[in-house]
Amino acid sequence: MSDLRDLYQEVILDHGRSPRNFGVLENATCEAHGDNPLCGDKVHVTLILEDGVVRDVRFEGSGCAVSMASASLMTEAVKGKTEAEARALFEDFHDLMTSGGEVDLDELERLDKLAVFEGVRGFPMRVKCATLGWHTLNAALDNDAQPVTTE
Ligand code: ZN
């Protein structure tokens, strides 16, 4: 697993330093705010859902490198996907982060780059950081006006 761990460090540092799709979409059709009070991470996700496809997605926020990197990777992963695909990815990612058992190889393959977050599975605090962006995405797809919190 050491290769995956090195890759994890690399990906977190890279995306933490220069987050992709950072900002706010002015013409967003869906948005949500997420808050992880345990760590102080905050995320605001805006997206354009058109004909059931995530045409564009952005996030802004502040917090630790793990939360920012995960939100950044989330935007890359769901852009261009259908709403159903984006939700399925959320389920897979959530599963990976919260299940204690062996990780299904098919699941890892579907998750692609997101699989590097397997490295934080043993750290419940970090899991909240890593899933914040995804919970916020899910709330945005629901167009839920209530801010999501990891608590
Ligand atoms: Zn955090």
Side-chain angles (χ1 to χ4, degrees), residues 36 39 41 64 67 126 129:
N36 178 20
C39 180
D41 310 316
C64 67
S67 65
R126 302 274 92 172
C129 301

Side-chain angles (χ1 to χ4, degrees), residues 29-30 47-56 80-85 141:
T29 60
C30 311
L47 62 93
I48 297 173
L49 193 65
E50 201 179 70
D51 303 326
V53 175
V54 179
R55 298 278 178 215
D56 206 357
K81 295 260 191 326
T82 65
E83 181 183 353
E85 286 168 340
L141 289 171

Side-chain angles (χ1 to χ4, degrees), residues 3-80:
D3 285 355
L4 192 60
R5 204 138 289 183
D6 288 349
L7 185 64
Y8 163 74
Q9 295 289 355
E10 221 170 272
V11 170
I12 303 276
L13 283 175
D14 175 30
H15 281 259
R17 219 180 279 137
S18 45
R20 318 299 199 269
N21 304 305
F22 195 85
V24 177
L25 288 168
E26 292 303 331
N27 49 347
T29 60
C30 311
E31 67 170 314
H33 289 271
D35 188 16
N36 178 20
L38 268 180
C39 180
D41 310 316
K42 285 186 194 310
V43 174
H44 177 206
V45 172
T46 49
L47 62 93
I48 297 173
L49 193 65
E50 201 179 70
D51 303 326
V53 175
V54 179
R55 298 278 178 215
D56 206 357
V57 53
R58 288 206 193 143
F59 86 100
E60 58 158 12
S62 58
C64 67
V66 173
S67 65
M68 292 300 108
S70 181
S72 171
L73 280 155
M74 177 278 288
T75 60
E76 279 197 328
V78 302
K79 203 172 189 172

Side-chain angles (χ1 to χ4, degrees), residues 70-120:
S70 181
S72 171
L73 280 155
M74 177 278 288
T75 60
E76 279 197 328
V78 302
K79 203 172 189 172
K81 295 260 191 326
T82 65
E83 181 183 353
E85 286 168 340
R87 285 188 193 268
L89 213 47
F90 164 75
E91 292 297 333
D92 277 347
F93 186 68
H94 195 255
D95 236 42
L96 171 73
M97 300 310 294
T98 55
S99 73
E102 283 291 300
V103 183
D104 181 11
L105 281 181
D106 288 344
E107 196 170 283
L108 279 183
E109 208 171 291
R110 279 200 305 276
L111 285 166
D112 189 28
K113 249 194 270 177
L114 304 172
V116 298
F117 284 95
E118 197 206 351
V120 302

